[in-house]
């Protein structure tokens, strides 16, 4: 058999070095070629991660047993001998960038699995990589400033179960640097400055949103094959909006990143919501930020140990106190109360008397008021039972206005009552009491003092000068950081704060995990949640239309008006296929419904993969959540290449 | 007075059970006396006296709030239905039995379930005194707290004692309980942690007996030494627990209610404040032998406002009834309502936002329900369209484009497109319930009779705070009402339905026991497959097909579902013909 020369570039020899030339025969297998290259370099190092990349064909030669002949390689082939794992700069859902070693040779699906394992996120099938949106007028110096968390030194673990060490996966516990990376991954970022939000790219229309989806990488091909180079920047995002078994115990990073992605989707109006919903999202962001700042060390995993100590302590206190049992009975039976001179106003009576001052006593879950303090032991003028009432604040710190608005239900209807307090302290105590009473709790409830503190903290936000708010700390957040730019124009921070405060009272008691879960729940309950848009041309139609791909259905949307024309559910789907020659997706539904469309804004492989991906997600069962059926995924999403 | 009662409670808790027996017996005697008076006053025909009965027992242990719509009780008494009293008497007798069983607690061999379960557990009531006051005593809250606290404390101490004594016996056993003695104790202490966190008031004196073992728990050696103390503590914990149960029973509020049956008759029964609608339904079904179906409902009718609502199974009945005013003409009806769970029988008609009714294969129905209710969040059906809104305080109705979202009901303001950000919030659903309006065409000049109302449950009279909406057809009305229910209750609604179906299934099992002997020969040999075939074909009902198979198979269950669905659709069809009652 004829011997011929094969040229192979080896990066390790330096950029200037000429490619190696080795003599081969056509029946030499790839493994043999690699052996020859390694011998020729005369370098002693671990070559195990290296493989051959065929530049003209844009493909890896990964089967050592195949002969050159079988691969179709001739003397004109230009090969590169290069590592399969290369560093990649990865933009995370929280906006941070992490540099890590990713697989450039396997299918992207497997690359994402590797990345997720490194970042300790479960269910990698829900995520994928996409090319970032080019930022306009990006300055060189700005990019240099960007903080990059480095994880390239961390070895990829082969064990499937990430063992915890110090409340974090063991591979993060190696050094302070990696610990900082884990902290960044698992703790949500503080709210961004309003200017940052305003500056970021926001999709203005459905078509804009559709363009984003043209950036997804093909899951069945490798990064190299898709032109991704070493040190390139890619985004890691949740692609499929069906989140399997969110479990706070194991999903610290996953939950945080999911929350971050949801938060940015809201802030950048990637998903539409009502004003009320926006305020609630704002309140939750405020709360999540506050709680994660205050308990940064107690990871979501095990707060029990700290609590145990405090529990033991209070047990001791309790034991010491038992001698004076009579005193205790006293304190037990006399419930705590609040009393103060406050002003009351009842708009229902059509008098213009305005606020009138009385002596108010708050006891259990009701407010009584008297003419004066001296008469406080007699019959009250009125007693209001607050159970089930609605409480809202009307506060303007600058104007020294501290009002509590109560809507007290009665058989006749709701009674509207305004209470006016003198100052912040008074307001926060009475407000807290009213809120507890509305939930049927008494002042004796342990949450009273924390409720008071919450209100005070929130009020302090109004003190801040909105101009100076960019200098942020955890106590001082510009409320503009919590809502989308639309509301920056609509409301001043001063006006926004009470609105968010109102929503905040319903979530202030939530733990960090619960608050994040609540945020995600409300996000998922939005009508447009999880819909990815593509501009398509339906068969037989002359105009472009929008196809929305949701976790459970396909939606045909009129591009001009934005109305939903038709919905098809995957449940009724018989089969779908792609005609790769004319790049047309055809789907058949129950009842002989057939649709076909070509894709305008994205490659039809992306659309095909999206649909197949959702079908795959729905096949995951609760029982065997740990095993990932990679083969099935490729079968459903790969198209002709995979088969 | 209140302080006194607390004092006595604590006191009583420390006393021997014998003494308590006597106390309770005495109290129960007083109760029966009360009942005698009730009967007498009935004979006299002066029911008003009832409410002036002695307010409080000397023991003061019990705190039984007795409240009831005067209208309802008057009516009930005027009918003079002796059966009602019999039923009440039976209730009281069962209470007596339970009382005596509590008086003799078993000797601490049984372990209590964890605190969470303990709440669910049905506890028999211990004692009552009739009092005319509608409101609970002022001290209720603190007393509740103490009770919860005590229970937690005793529970955790007991657990700790058990585990540590096991440690003294053999190392091996300890390991089987937990990974290390330390960890097992941790878990026990963690149990008490909640209660310790919960409130500040100091502990009542009962706990002091437990003081000694507590600090020594962490070390295993010391545990071995003070084994005896542990046992003493265990005994003490047991005593405390018994006392606690009694305190708890005494706290329970009871309500005598009158339930109107579908056949114009009525039943008077006693419900306790912890009972859910489901539990009350179950006991009504047991008593009335009317055949089991998940459609049995308790319906609240607010006569004055001409509206009604089916209570959801998970709701607390007493809480809802306490919203009625004293002289309320409201009614509570026990009746079969197919619309209660029509949503789950034909989900395709409610969840897909389609305009027309359609059929769907059962497996698709299940998949649809699974998809809607079993994800990480419940998807609220996309209801939107033009509805008539009655303007506040006016007689006119005007059209608006409404949308339902998980966060509430919105409408599109004039001249705007329906982009989410421009929507105006009409109502958030946290504080309101959804009611069916009855005959609003004549009452409020509504455009159609398909009206719904949204109001705070406490509102009982005409008010500007009640919102009235009117739909063009009955189908839209049902879609909106069910959409609002889903938005408000979420997954709970589905769980209620599954629970109801489980009961139905169980009921079929029971009813089949009698007939199984006759039929078992033929069907026990046949495959589950054939069961399901049989059941879907037969018109006679489900019980034939399911009776004999003891090991329930999936297909049998689904056949029941399908049968129920089928019936659901049929009834729905028929109900469309006769819309107004």
């Amino acid at each position: 058999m004829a011997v011929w020369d094969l040229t192979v570039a080896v990066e390790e020899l330096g950029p200037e070095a000429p490619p190696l030339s080795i003599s081969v025969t056509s029946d030499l297998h790839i493994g043999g070629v690699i052996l020859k290259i390694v011998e020729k370099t005369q370098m002693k190092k671990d070559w195990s991660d290296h493989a051959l990349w065929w530049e003209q064909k844009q493909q890896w030669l990964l089967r050592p047993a195949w002969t050159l002949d079988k691969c179709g390689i001739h003397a004109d082939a230009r090969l590169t001998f290069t590592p399969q794992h290369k560093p990649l700069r990865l933009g995370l859902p929280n906006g941070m960038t992490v540099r890590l070693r990713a697989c450039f040779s396997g299918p992207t699906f497997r690359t994402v699995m590797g990345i997720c394992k490194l970042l300790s996120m479960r269910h990698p099938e829900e995520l994928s990589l996409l090319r970032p949106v080019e930022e306009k007028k990006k300055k060189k110096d700005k990019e240099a400033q960007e903080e990059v968390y480095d994880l390239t030194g961390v070895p990829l673990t082969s064990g499937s179960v990430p063992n915890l060490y110090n409340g974090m996966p063991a591979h993060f516990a190696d050094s302070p640097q990696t610990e900082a990376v884990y902290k960044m991954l698992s703790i949500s970022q503080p709210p961004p400055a309003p200017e940052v939000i305003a500056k970021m790219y926001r999709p203005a229309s459905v078509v804009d949103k559709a363009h984003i989806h043209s950036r997804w990488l093909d899951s069945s091909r490798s990064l190299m094959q898709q032109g991704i180079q070493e040190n390139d920047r890619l985004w890691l995002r949740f692609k499929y909006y069906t989140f399997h078994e969110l479990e706070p115990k194991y999903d610290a990073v996953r939950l945080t990143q999911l929350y971050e992605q949801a938060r940015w989707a809201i802030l950048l109006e990637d998903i539409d919501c009502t004003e009320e919903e926006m305020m609630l999202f704002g309140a939750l962001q405020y709360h999540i930020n506050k709680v994660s700042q205050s308990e940064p060390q107690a990871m979501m995993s095990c707060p029990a140990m700290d609590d145990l100590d405090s529990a033991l302590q209070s047990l001791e206190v309790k034991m010491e106190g038992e001698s004076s049992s009579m005193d205790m009975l006293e304190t037990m039976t006399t419930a705590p109360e609040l009393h103060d001179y406050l002003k009351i106003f009842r708009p229902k009576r059509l008098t213009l008397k305005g606020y009138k001052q009385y002596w108010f006593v708050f006891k259990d879950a009701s407010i009584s008021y008297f003419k004066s303090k001296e008469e406080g032991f007699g019959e009250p003028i009125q007693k209001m039972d607050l159970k089930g009432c609605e409480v809202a604040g009307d506060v303007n710190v600058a104007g020294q206005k501290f009002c509590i608005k109560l809507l007290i239900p009665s058989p006749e209807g709701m009674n509207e009552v305004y209470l006016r307090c003198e100052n912040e302290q008074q307001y926060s105590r009475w407000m807290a009491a009213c809120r507890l009473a509305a939930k049927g709790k008494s002042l004796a409830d342990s949450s009273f003092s924390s409720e008071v503190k919450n209100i005070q903290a929130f009020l302090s936000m109004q003190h801040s000068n909105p101009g100076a708010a960019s200098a942020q700390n955890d106590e001082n957040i510009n409320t503009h950081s919590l809502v989308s730019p639309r509301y920056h124009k609509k409301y001043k921070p001063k006006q926004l704060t009470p609105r968010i405060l109102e929503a905040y009272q319903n979530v202030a008691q939530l733990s960090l995990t619960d608050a994040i879960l609540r945020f995600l729940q409300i996000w998922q309950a939005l009508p447009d949640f999880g819909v990815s848009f593509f501009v398509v041309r339906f068969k037989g139609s002359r105009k472009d239309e929008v196809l929305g791909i949701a976790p459970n259905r396909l939606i045909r949307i009129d591009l001009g008006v934005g109305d939903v024309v038709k919905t098809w559910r995957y449940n009724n789907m018989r089969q779908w296929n792609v005609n790769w020659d004319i790049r047309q997706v055809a789907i058949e539904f129950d009842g002989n419904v057939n649709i076909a469309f070509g894709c305008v804004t994205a490659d039809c492989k992306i659309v095909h993969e999206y649909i197949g991906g959702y079908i795959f997600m729905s096949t995951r069962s609760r029982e065997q959540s740990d095993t990932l059926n990679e083969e099935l995924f490729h079968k459903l999403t790969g198209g002709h290449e995979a088969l | 007075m209140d302080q006194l009662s607390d004092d006595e409670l604590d006191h009583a808790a420390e006393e021997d059970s014998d003494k308590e027996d006597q106390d309770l017996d005495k109290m129960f005697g007083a109760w029966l006396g009360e009942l005698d008076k009730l009967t007498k006053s009935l004979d006299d025909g002066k029911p008003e006296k009832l409410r002036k009965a002695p307010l409080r027992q000397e023991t003061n242990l019990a705190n039984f709030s007795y409240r009831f719509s005067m209208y309802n009780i008057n009516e009930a008494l005027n009918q003079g239905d002796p059966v009602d009293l019999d039923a009440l008497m039976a209730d009281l007798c069962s209470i007596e039995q339970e009382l005596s069983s509590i008086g003799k607690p078993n000797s601490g061999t049984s372990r209590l379930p964890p605190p969470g379960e303990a709440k669910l557990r049905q506890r028999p009531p211990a004692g009552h005194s009739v009092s005319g006051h509608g409101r609970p005593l002022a001290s209720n809250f603190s007393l509740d707290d103490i009770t919860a606290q005590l229970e937690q404390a005793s529970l955790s101490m007991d657990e700790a004692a058990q585990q540590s004594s096991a440690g003294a016996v053999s190392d091996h056993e300890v390991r089987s309980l937990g990974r290390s003695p330390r960890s097992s104790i941790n878990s026990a202490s963690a149990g008490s942690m909640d209660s310790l966190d919960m409130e500040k008031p100091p502990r009542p004196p009962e706990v002091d007996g437990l003081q000694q073992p507590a600090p020594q728990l962490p070390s295993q050696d010391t545990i071995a030494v003070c084994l005896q103390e542990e046992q003493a503590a265990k005994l003490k914990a047991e005593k405390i627990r018994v006392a606690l149960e009694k305190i708890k029973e005494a706290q329970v509020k009871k309500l005598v209610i009158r339930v109107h049956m579908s056949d114009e008759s009525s039943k008077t029964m006693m419900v306790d404040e912890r009972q859910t609608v489901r539990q009350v339904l179950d006991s009504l079904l047991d008593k009335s032998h009317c055949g089991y179906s998940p459609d049995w409902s308790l319906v609240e009718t607010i006569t004055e406002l001409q509206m009604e609502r089916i209570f959801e199974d998970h709701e607390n009945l007493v809480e809802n009834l306490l919203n009625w005013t004293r002289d309320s003409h409201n009614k509570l009806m026990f009746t079969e309502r197919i619309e209660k769970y029509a949503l789950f029988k034909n989900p395709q008609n409610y969840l897909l936002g389609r305009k027309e009714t359609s059929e769907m294969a059962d497996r698709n129905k299940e998949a649809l329900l699974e998809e809607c209710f079993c994800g990480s969040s419940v998807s609220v059906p996309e209801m939107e369209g033009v509805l008539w809104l009655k303007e506040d305080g006016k007689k006119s109705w005007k059209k608006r484009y409404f949308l339902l979202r998980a966060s509430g009901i919105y409408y599109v303001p004039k001249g705007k497109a329906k982009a989410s950000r421009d929507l105006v919030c009409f109502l958030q659903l946290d504080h309101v319930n959804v009611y069916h309006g009855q005959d609003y065409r004549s009452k409020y000049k509504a455009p159609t009779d398909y009206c719904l109302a949204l109001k705070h449950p406490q509102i009982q009279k005409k008010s500007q705070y009640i919102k009235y909406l009117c739909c063009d057809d009955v189908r839209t009305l049902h879609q909106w009402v069910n959409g609002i229910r889903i938005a408000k209750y979420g997954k709970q609604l589905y769980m209620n339905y599954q629970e109801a179906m489980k009961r139905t299934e169980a009921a079929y099992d029971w009813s089949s026991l009698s007939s199984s002997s006759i039929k078992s020969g033929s069907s026990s040999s046949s495959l589950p497959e054939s069961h399901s075939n049989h059941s879907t074909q037969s018109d006679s009902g489900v019980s034939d097909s399911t009776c004999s198979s003891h090991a329930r198979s999936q297909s049998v269950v689904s056949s029941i579902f399908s049968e129920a669905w089928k019936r659901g659709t049929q009834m729905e069809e028929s109900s469309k013909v006769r819309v107004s009652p």
Side-chain angles (χ1 to χ4, degrees), chain B residues 482-495:
Chain B
N482 281 300
I484 293 169
R485 285 169 75 204
I486 295 173
K488 190 170 165 62
Y489 303 110
K491 197 176 180 175
Q492 183 67 53
L493 214 52
Y494 189 42
M495 282 156 55

Side-chain angles (χ1 to χ4, degrees), chain A residues 277 318 328 411 446 569, chain B residues 198 203 371 376 407 460-461:
Chain A
E277 286 155 358
K318 185 187 75 183
M328 283 203 317
S446 61
R569 307 176 64 79
Chain B
M198 249 166 50
R203 302 300 176 279
E371 188 185 297
S376 45
S407 58
Q460 300 288 317
K461 301 199 165 71

Side-chain angles (χ1 to χ4, degrees), chain A residues 272-274 276-277 307-308 311 314-315 318-319 322 325 328-329 331-334 364 387-390 407 409-414 416 440 442 444 446 449 486-487 521 524-527 552-553 563 569 571-572 622, chain B residues 3 6-7 10 138 141-142 146 186 189 193 196-200 202-204 207-208 211 214 325 352 367-368 370-371 374 376-377 382 405-407 410 418 420-421 423 425 428 431 456 458-463 465:
Chain A
D272 226 2
C273 67
T274 65
E276 283 72 20
E277 286 155 358
D307 288 354
L308 182 69
S314 56
L315 191 71
K318 185 187 75 183
M319 298 306 182
E322 50 74 35
S325 56
M328 283 203 317
L329 269 179
T331 41
M332 228 155 49
T333 46
T334 52
D364 293 324
K387 200 174 171 219
C389 79
E390 289 174 46
L407 262 182
S410 71
E412 288 77 28
M414 307 293 268
E416 223 170 307
S442 78
S446 61
S449 60
R486 180 183 309 277
Y487 296 95
Q521 256 168 22
Q524 291 178 71
L526 295 176
N552 56 2
R553 65 200 191 278
D563 279 347
R569 307 176 64 79
N571 274 342
N572 308 333
R622 227 148 260 162
Chain B
Q3 286 190 17
D6 282 347
D7 200 356
D10 297 334
F141 280 113
S142 55
I146 298 163
N186 280 356
S189 314
M193 181 184 73
L196 296 174
D197 275 353
M198 249 166 50
E199 69 286 290
K200 263 135 216 167
R203 302 300 176 279
V207 196
D208 59 353
Q211 181 201 8
T325 55
L352 299 177
L368 185 59
E370 177 93 1
E371 188 185 297
C374 301
S376 45
S377 79
E382 291 178 29
R405 297 170 74 101
S407 58
Y410 293 78
K418 53 176 190 182
S420 301
R421 52 180 175 265
L423 296 179
C425 187
Q428 291 183 325
H431 297 285
H456 193 287
Q458 250 169 287
I459 301 178
Q460 300 288 317
K461 301 199 165 71
K462 258 192 186 177
S463 152
Y465 293 95

Side-chain angles (χ1 to χ4, degrees), chain A residues 133-136 196-205 207-209 211-212 235 268:
Chain A
V133 176
E134 299 83 14
E135 283 158 61
K136 289 167 202 159
V196 174
I197 307 175
K199 244 187 262 169
M200 284 179 74
Y201 169 77
R202 291 195 301 282
S205 65
V207 179
D208 283 356
K209 289 179 194 171
H211 276 291
I212 289 177
W235 281 354
L268 298 177

